Amino acid sequence: MRLRHFIDTQDFSKQELLEIINLIRVIKQGYKAGYSPKLLKDASLAMIFEEPSTRTRVSFEVAMTQLGGHALYLKPGEIHLGVRESIYDTVKVLSRMCDVIEARTLKHETVMELARHADVPVINGLTDYNHPTQVVCDVFTMIEHMPAGKNLEDLHVTFIGDATNVLSSLMLICTRMGMHFTHAAPKRYQPPADWISWAQANCAESGGSLTITDDPIAAVSSADYIYTDLWWWVGQEDEIPERRAAFMPRYQVNLDLFNKAPAHCQFMHCLPASRGVEATDEVMDHPRSIIFDQSENRLHTEKGLLVYFVYPRLHYATEETVALHKQQIDSALSRLIKMNT
Ligand code: CP
């Protein structure tokens, strides 16, 4: 069976991403109607988290339960990964006991190394470079909230703020899907040249477009969705005064900026958020904010991704095989009972 990992949306064609999104859609619709097939019955997911998480951890764990499987939360200090045991040895052991591995790692290279050695699919749950599960969820959410009369290829997505791992992933998936992507940030917080060149290559193939600007008002003028993320993350505490000065108030998504976008524009945030910093409460809780639909969709997205990568690899016994092994186990159990009576 073909082994594929989900490390970067750039490893997948537009058609493959649409297949994943369709799977998410039909599984979600079935679930909402009360139909929740156990597509990953008895399967196990190893979840490695080198950083804290609410949405990614909960969505993967609940997804496995709803699909009839099981998830294990593994954190540094509780497993040997990379400390008392090489990544190679750990991943080989996990591959023998689990059907899939999800990993949130501090360094992108760590998840790449996991994938290089794994014999089961590895799903990237966020690194210092990207966050592919989040942005598949985001595109699915945008499609669910599509403005009337528009198609995917008509959508304008504007990201305001720092060039985070979410920005890199969102820029790459939107341009791959043929959408129109704008990033507004002060020049020193704009994406590096290689990210831009990959997104431009996506546009050349898909018909999408990419705009990088330091003008947030121009950036929102035709936005169907305004998206923002934290201005600083764990490990950047020393930079808070400098970052706050660079972004505030011009790049804050407040009512004033939101009202400069078209009247149908919707607000998105991957969360967690620093309310009152990158976005104000009025926008976070606005009737056109879809942030909690986005969060809920992480659950449906993880279900679609897990089924896409794991379901084709599962083997279930035929009736003949079940009969043979049931007879052998029953006879061993009878001997056990006899010995103990
Ligand atoms: N958006 C996201 O990945 O959230 P968590 O950090 O809570 O998983």
Side-chain angles (χ1 to χ4, degrees):
M1 182 56 65
R2 184 176 179 212
L3 174 60
R4 280 193 94 180
H5 307 291
F6 192 64
I7 304 299
D8 191 332
T9 58
Q10 288 291 93
D11 301 332
F12 293 80
S13 67
K14 176 178 178 179
Q15 194 51 42
E16 287 172 327
L17 292 167
L18 287 172
E19 286 296 337
I20 293 172
I21 288 169
N22 185 54
L23 199 50
I24 296 165
R25 182 180 65 81
V26 295
I27 291 173
K28 177 177 178 179
Q29 286 177 349
Y31 178 74
K32 292 286 178 183
Y35 176 58
S36 185
K38 306 303 176 209
L39 299 174
L40 302 186
K41 184 173 169 297
D42 296 336
S44 289
L45 164 69
M47 305 192 300
I48 297 169
F49 280 92
E50 290 186 342
E51 278 197 299
S53 164
T54 300
R55 280 142 291 271
T56 308
R57 178 187 172 174
V58 174
S59 59
F60 270 104
E61 193 162 334
V62 174
M64 282 305 283
T65 302
Q66 292 185 357
L67 290 166
H70 172 69
L72 302 93
Y73 179 63
L74 308 173
K75 65 175 182 179
E78 293 186 2
I79 57 169
H80 300 301
L81 183 77
V83 182
R84 282 174 295 276
E85 182 171 74
S86 67
I87 290 178
Y88 177 89
D89 285 352
T90 298
V91 81
K92 287 293 179 196
V93 171
L94 292 179
S95 297
R96 293 293 183 102
M97 298 189 191
C98 299
D99 302 279
V100 53
I101 298 167
E102 176 277 336
R104 169 169 290 194
T105 58
L106 294 167
K107 298 277 170 222
H108 192 69
E109 174 49 30
T110 308
V111 83
M112 298 281 285
E113 189 175 353
L114 287 168
R116 269 197 301 278
H117 304 312
D119 302 305
V120 295
V122 174
I123 298 177
N124 173 357
L126 181 140
T127 70
D128 57 348
Y129 161 58
N130 69 350
H131 199 357
T133 60
Q134 177 68 55
V135 297
V136 168
C137 165
D138 295 336
V139 172
F140 172 64
T141 307
M142 289 174 201
I143 292 171
E144 280 195 325
H145 290 270
M146 187 86 77
K150 292 214 174 195
N151 295 311
L152 185 65
E153 293 80 4
D154 302 323
L155 295 180
H156 286 250
V157 179
T158 293
F159 187 103
I160 310 268
D162 189 20
T164 59
N165 38 18
V166 172
L167 175 275
S168 82
S169 307
L170 195 65
M171 181 166 86
L172 291 172
I173 196 169
C174 288
T175 52
R176 175 138 294 202
M177 303 306 274
M179 298 157 74
H180 305 281
F181 190 83
T182 299
H183 179 213
K187 285 199 165 36
R188 68 171 294 196
Y189 296 100
Q190 291 176 2
D194 50 356
W195 298 7
I196 293 174
S197 68
W198 298 332
Q200 284 170 336
N202 284 348
C203 292
E205 194 173 323
S206 68
S209 67
L210 176 70
T211 306
I212 310 285
T213 176
D214 60 1
D215 182 347
I217 295 173
V220 302
S221 64
S222 56
D224 295 303
Y225 304 94
I226 294 176
Y227 196 125
T228 190
D229 190 6
L230 296 167
W231 287 346
W232 52 82
W233 188 243
V234 181
Q236 293 176 326
E237 290 81 359
D238 291 352
E239 298 175 33
I240 291 176
E242 171 190 342
R243 285 173 168 266
R244 188 187 284 275
F247 288 107
M248 192 74 98
R250 202 164 170 231
Y251 299 92
Q252 184 188 58
V253 185
N254 50 36
L255 216 42
D256 189 38
L257 184 60
F258 196 43
N259 284 338
K260 291 192 165 58
H264 67 268
C265 179
Q266 297 169 88
F267 175 69
M268 301 180 74
H269 193 309
C270 53
L271 304 180
S274 288
R275 283 176 174 258
V277 180
E278 72 272 12
T280 58
D281 285 343
E282 297 119 321
V283 175
M284 296 279 289
D285 301 324
H286 193 278
R288 282 184 279 115
S289 166
I290 54 173
I291 58 175
F292 296 118
D293 293 334
Q294 237 184 307
S295 283
E296 179 194 324
N297 278 339
R298 287 298 303 277
L299 169 63
H300 307 298
T301 299
E302 315 320 10
K303 286 165 81 174
L305 287 166
L306 287 163
V307 170
Y308 185 87
F309 288 99
V310 181
Y311 179 80
R313 300 173 52 81
L314 296 179
H315 302 286
Y316 293 107
T318 61
E319 280 182 24
E320 294 76 30
T321 308
V322 170
L324 170 69
H325 290 277
K326 183 174 184 319
Q327 188 271 324
Q328 289 177 353
I329 292 170
D330 284 352
S331 117
L333 290 177
S334 304
R335 285 197 300 278
L336 183 65
I337 298 291
K338 266 191 206 137
M339 279 177 345
N340 284 280
T341 49

